[in-house]
Amino acid sequence: MAARAASAGRSITRIFAARCYSSSVALRALSLLSFLLAGCGHAEEPPSPPERVAQPDSDSDSASASDSDSDSDSDSDSESRGQGHGHGQGHGAGQGHRAGHGAGEGHRAGQTIGAGPWIVRRTLEHAPFPRDDVPSAIVRAPASYDGTGPLHVVVFLHGWRGCASALALSGPQPCGGTTLEGWDLAGRFDEAEVDAIFVVAQLAFLERDGSPGRFSEEGRFRAWLEELRASLALPEPASITLAAHSAGFETALAILARGGVEVRSVVLFDALYRGFQPFADWAAAAPERRLISLHTGGGRTASQSAMLARRARQALGADAVSVDPESPAEAALAHQVVVARSPVRHGDVPARHLAELSRVLLGGGRR
């Protein structure tokens, strides 16, 4: 009897041990599985490559942005070909023309440069968005600039996500840790063959921001321009033209209202998202002023341009306003206000029209 009890005890012990071993193995397996699952679930995904910022190709994005009080476009600078604020592929005749980029970049402040071609970068204390790591302005003097006559200046005001270097120059340009393909607007300006200089102002750098920054302050634009002139030993301007693209209209309005300078001409490159009334009133205040608003045929810039034309006709008379001419440049020769549709998309409007309009508006500065 005792022997049977002992045998039964040994059997129970073996069964219990086997079950315990199985449980231990199972627990270990579960523990390992949990660890592996936890590791997979929390593994970090590889970072995505940085997005290449670009301005909008159309005003669909802009229209929503312009519904607010600020009304800024969606540059407004949607995505065009991965060029930061830059778009501009080729842009018609003269694509192979290069604006002597690089010449004069080491020029010392205050030293007279003289006749073009040259191009310089300047970091200025009176910049609208002061910073030390990017130029406040890119200045281009084409070969047609002789440096002896009256100074005529064209200032380009970019929209959202702007980098002045990429806007002015051709080829890949370093912009705040990334590289953007240049629009070569300086090259397009060269094609105008006028005795004038072309300045790309750095506004909000690579930001979705169309505000004028410190150009909203009374006289700040004049201080910026005087500092820029002094650094290049240039004379007082005989004329100033503002060329605004996309959300750059906000800065143009600020300069007209509080810039402290007399502006002779304003060109809006698909930029009239808001402000048709102050622009029209500015043009009507002096007969020598010229205002050109180009749009792409739809959205906010087209509707605002139509309202601009109506208000300008009321103030100046129908003969002073041209609407939808075949050639905006030719129309600008005989009309104080021109409203026209551009045949290209939003991002290409500046490069498409900069040379022809500069040729007309700077007639006094043409060589």
Side-chain angles (χ1 to χ4, degrees):
M1 186 68 175
R4 288 182 181 178
S7 176
R10 286 193 296 272
S11 297
I12 291 171
T13 299
R14 284 195 298 269
I15 293 171
F16 181 76
R19 286 182 178 176
C20 287
Y21 176 77
S22 298
S23 297
S24 175
V25 171
L27 286 171
R28 289 180 183 177
L30 286 172
S31 176
L32 179 60
L33 181 60
S34 298
F35 172 81
L36 292 173
L37 287 174
C40 293
H42 293 87
E44 294 183 2
E45 295 184 5
S48 302
E51 181 182 357
R52 301 195 65 169
V53 222
Q55 301 193 9
D57 299 328
S58 70
D59 46 11
S60 57
D61 178 70
S62 326
S64 60
S66 64
D67 286 340
S68 69
D69 255 348
S70 71
D71 218 8
S72 78
D73 68 337
S74 91
D75 203 353
S76 100
D77 286 333
S78 159
E79 281 56 17
S80 265
R81 309 159 296 277
Q83 300 181 38
H85 22 172
H87 320 334
Q89 318 267 71
H91 307 316
Q95 178 178 5
H97 182 86
R98 291 294 176 256
H101 303 156
E105 290 185 10
H107 172 79
R108 292 189 301 276
Q111 178 185 356
T112 302
I113 301 181
W118 48 261
I119 190 160
V120 297
R121 296 172 168 86
R122 282 291 180 264
T123 301
L124 305 171
E125 181 181 347
H126 293 92
F129 293 85
R131 51 190 299 161
D132 297 327
D133 57 334
V134 295
S136 308
I138 307 293
V139 187
R140 170 64 176 173
S144 50
Y145 174 72
D146 67 19
T148 62
L151 178 66
H152 300 273
V153 181
V154 176
V155 180
F156 184 83
L157 306 170
H158 65 74
W160 290 359
R161 310 182 185 98
C163 170
S165 295
L167 287 163
L169 309 179
S170 63
Q173 297 297 323
C175 288
T178 188
T179 299
L180 302 173
E181 190 64 25
W183 291 22
D184 195 23
L185 291 182
R188 305 287 76 76
F189 185 76
D190 282 9
E191 295 165 7
E193 298 183 332
V194 290
D195 186 8
I197 65 170
F198 179 66
V199 182
V200 179
Q202 181 62 66
L203 302 176
F205 182 68
L206 293 182
E207 294 182 19
R208 192 179 171 90
D209 181 2
S211 70
R214 298 193 65 179
F215 277 168
S216 62
E217 300 172 9
E218 193 70 40
R220 180 78 177 198
F221 178 78
R222 179 173 182 82
W224 172 84
L225 188 58
E226 287 183 344
E227 183 184 357
L228 180 63
R229 286 196 308 104
S231 76
L232 298 170
L234 296 172
E236 184 79 18
S239 74
I240 298 172
T241 296
L242 301 180
H245 177 228
S246 205
F249 80 92
E250 295 190 54
T251 302
L253 284 173
I255 292 170
L256 295 180
R258 297 176 294 281
V261 298
E262 175 59 31
V263 175
R264 187 171 76 177
S265 303
V266 173
V267 180
L268 301 173
F269 291 121
D270 202 27
L272 191 54
Y273 287 90
R274 178 174 56 81
F276 74 89
Q277 181 173 331
F279 278 120
D281 293 348
W282 168 83
E288 68 275 9
R289 292 175 177 174
R290 293 293 179 269
L291 173 62
I292 300 173
S293 180
L294 302 176
H295 59 86
T296 53
R300 186 79 170 203
T301 57
S303 61
Q304 285 276 304
S305 293
M307 289 187 279
L308 168 68
R310 287 196 294 271
R311 185 169 183 87
R313 281 173 169 162
Q314 292 170 358
L316 295 167
D319 292 343
V321 182
S322 176
V323 178
D324 293 330
E326 184 175 342
S327 169
E330 289 182 11
L333 288 170
H335 299 85
Q336 194 171 346
V337 176
V338 176
V339 170
R341 177 174 180 172
S342 173
V344 298
R345 60 183 182 176
H346 178 81
D348 293 327
V349 177
R352 170 64 177 79
H353 299 281
L354 179 61
E356 62 182 8
L357 293 178
S358 297
R359 223 173 272 131
V360 169
L361 296 174
L362 299 172
R366 188 171 181 182
R367 209 170 166 177

